[in-house]
Amino acid sequence: MRPSRRHPRPFLCVPVLLCALLGPAPPATSSEGPSTSAEVARLYEEASAATARYEEGRRAAGIQKARVRKLNRLLMKERRHVSVLHEDLGRMASAQYRTGGGLPYSAQLLLADSPDAVMRGRQALWQADLAVNSAVTKTRRAVAGLAVAKERADRAKHLLSRRTARLAALKRRIERKLETAQWTLQGEADRSVAAGKCRGAVRLEQQEQREQRDKREERRRPVTRAWVTPVKTYELSAGFDSAGERWAGRHTGQDFAVDIGAPVRSVGAGRVESVSCGGSFGIQVLVRHEGGYFTQYAHLAAVTVDQGERVRTGQWIGQAGTTGNSTGPHLHFETRLTPHLGSGVDPRKWLAERGVRLKRSAGL
């Protein structure tokens, strides 16, 4: 009996995914591709862009909050400085009163033992008084400037917080739509697998736009990367040659935990050997590379290539799913010496030999 599936939260990878790989699947047949694949791809791109905008807004709001906190500290410091200066003025006034500062200046000269001392003291007091008054004036101007800056920073902080809240709401709406579309796509894929009749390649607008951008970049600068990971952002789950109760033998590939609809790309240039559906692998694509090696991409929800088609490094060849014998959305990836099951080699080592090192969480 096939295990029940739990709907994943968008953009959160399932931590542990298992797949049972038991035998070859029937050949692919072509039929009209549905629009759900394109809708999932579109929403996937929108959700990624919304997440990026949300994170950018969140970082900007955090920076603005830090600026407001800094202005608050400076404002409090300047206000304390004004208070200290006022106390100094008070002490000077008291000292002046105690030394006869309240008497007329002529009376002070008549009563003093040394008029020169009175003049020097008076002059020193005037100079100190002027210096403190000047400091108070400057500090008050600083306080006023800081208060204006803080008010502006507070307004900017509130605007950024409101914008971030709107972006978060937009992100949640897109992710809810994406989740619905993902499971619609998966349902269509499951029906195709159950019938043993694969749909034809779905040509996605997002894929074509990205390929055009890649070609423009290739013309501007030489491309040196010959190999990439089969998915851009992932977490690794079951590895090569690991044991599991759902497998007839040892695990024959490397599993990448991703969401339904995530773009799956060819790890290198080659030609599509076969596209098939049904059996334990569900919907799968097999690519032949130079040197006689093959790569397999299984449990897909849709394919974007046809048998015999030439593919470039990084080109989209399908969308991830959970068709076949699978307990949750993921990509099962194999590297083989022949097109047939049982000739697999460790994908991590195979990719590492070509300059691609897999990590627990990564993005290229």
Side-chain angles (χ1 to χ4, degrees):
M1 179 181 294
R2 185 170 182 165
S4 60
R5 294 183 184 136
R6 298 178 63 186
H7 291 207
R9 293 175 62 189
F11 299 97
L12 293 178
C13 294
V14 180
V16 179
L17 302 171
L18 304 176
C19 59
L21 312 177
L22 300 175
T29 59
S30 178
S31 63
E32 183 181 357
S35 62
T36 310
S37 293
E39 177 70 1
V40 169
R42 182 183 67 81
L43 288 170
Y44 203 94
E45 291 282 319
E46 286 186 11
S48 295
T51 298
R53 289 196 300 271
Y54 167 74
E55 290 299 325
E56 181 183 354
R58 189 177 61 82
R59 286 192 296 270
I63 291 171
Q64 194 62 33
K65 287 178 183 176
R67 181 167 181 263
V68 170
R69 287 195 297 269
K70 181 179 179 181
L71 285 169
N72 268 329
R73 289 194 298 270
L74 290 173
L75 195 54
M76 291 176 63
K77 180 180 178 181
E78 291 297 333
R79 283 174 175 162
R80 285 195 298 268
H81 194 193
V82 170
S83 177
V84 169
L85 289 171
H86 277 299
E87 290 175 1
D88 288 345
L89 278 175
R91 283 194 295 269
M92 289 174 65
S94 297
Q96 188 176 13
Y97 178 78
R98 287 194 301 271
T99 57
L103 292 174
Y105 184 57
S106 57
Q108 291 182 43
L109 289 174
L110 290 171
L111 296 173
D113 294 333
S114 173
D116 289 340
V118 172
M119 293 179 65
R120 286 195 299 272
R122 188 78 175 185
Q123 186 177 11
L125 191 61
W126 284 340
Q127 288 175 346
D129 188 48
L130 286 172
V132 172
N133 273 314
S134 175
V136 168
T137 301
K138 290 179 181 178
T139 306
R140 281 176 175 168
R141 283 200 296 264
V143 168
L146 282 170
V148 171
K150 180 182 177 299
E151 184 180 354
R152 291 174 180 170
D154 274 328
R155 284 200 300 267
K157 183 189 74 172
H158 292 315
L159 287 173
L160 279 170
S161 296
R162 288 170 56 189
R163 177 175 177 269
T164 304
R166 289 196 299 270
L167 288 173
L170 174 64
K171 178 175 175 286
R172 287 192 297 270
R173 286 197 298 271
I174 294 174
E175 288 176 347
R176 284 195 294 267
K177 290 181 181 178
L178 174 60
E179 185 174 10
T180 300
Q182 283 173 325
W183 288 101
T184 300
L185 175 64
Q186 184 59 45
E188 293 171 353
D190 286 339
R191 288 191 289 274
S192 295
V193 171
K197 184 179 181 181
C198 289
R199 297 164 292 168
V202 179
R203 302 303 175 182
L204 304 177
E205 181 182 354
Q206 290 81 359
Q207 177 186 3
E208 294 173 358
Q209 292 173 348
R210 180 165 295 188
E211 288 176 358
Q212 289 173 2
R213 288 197 301 269
D214 290 346
K215 288 178 181 178
R216 287 195 296 269
E217 290 179 1
E218 287 175 11
R219 287 194 293 269
R220 286 197 297 267
R221 56 180 174 78
V223 176
T224 57
R225 175 161 291 192
W227 302 91
V228 295
T229 55
V231 284
K232 189 173 182 181
T233 303
Y234 59 86
E235 286 188 8
L236 299 180
S237 50
F240 179 75
D241 204 32
S242 57
E245 60 181 12
R246 295 185 54 81
W247 308 316
R250 308 289 288 185
H251 192 235
T252 55
Q254 174 64 60
D255 287 352
F256 295 80
V258 290
D259 290 323
I260 293 172
V264 174
R265 53 191 187 173
S266 179
V267 296
R271 187 180 298 275
V272 178
E273 181 78 6
S274 64
V275 178
S276 57
C277 69
S280 58
F281 285 122
I283 299 174
Q284 61 170 316
V285 174
L286 191 67
V287 177
R288 177 196 292 267
H289 303 281
E290 290 185 5
Y293 285 100
F294 297 80
T295 54
Q296 180 204 31
Y297 312 79
H299 303 311
L300 303 177
V303 296
T304 59
V305 291
D306 288 315
Q307 184 171 327
E309 184 177 333
R310 291 287 305 177
V311 293
R312 296 176 294 104
T313 300
Q315 178 179 332
W316 287 13
I317 58 176
Q319 291 170 283
T322 181
T323 54
N325 198 350
S326 166
T327 61
H330 72 291
L331 169 70
H332 174 81
F333 173 73
E334 285 196 24
T335 51
R336 297 177 179 173
L337 298 172
T338 74
H340 307 295
L341 181 67
S343 62
V345 295
D346 188 342
R348 296 191 68 160
K349 293 181 180 178
W350 189 86
L351 287 171
E353 289 170 358
R354 287 153 181 79
V356 179
R357 296 192 178 277
L358 301 182
K359 301 176 182 178
R360 294 302 302 177
S361 181
L364 295 178

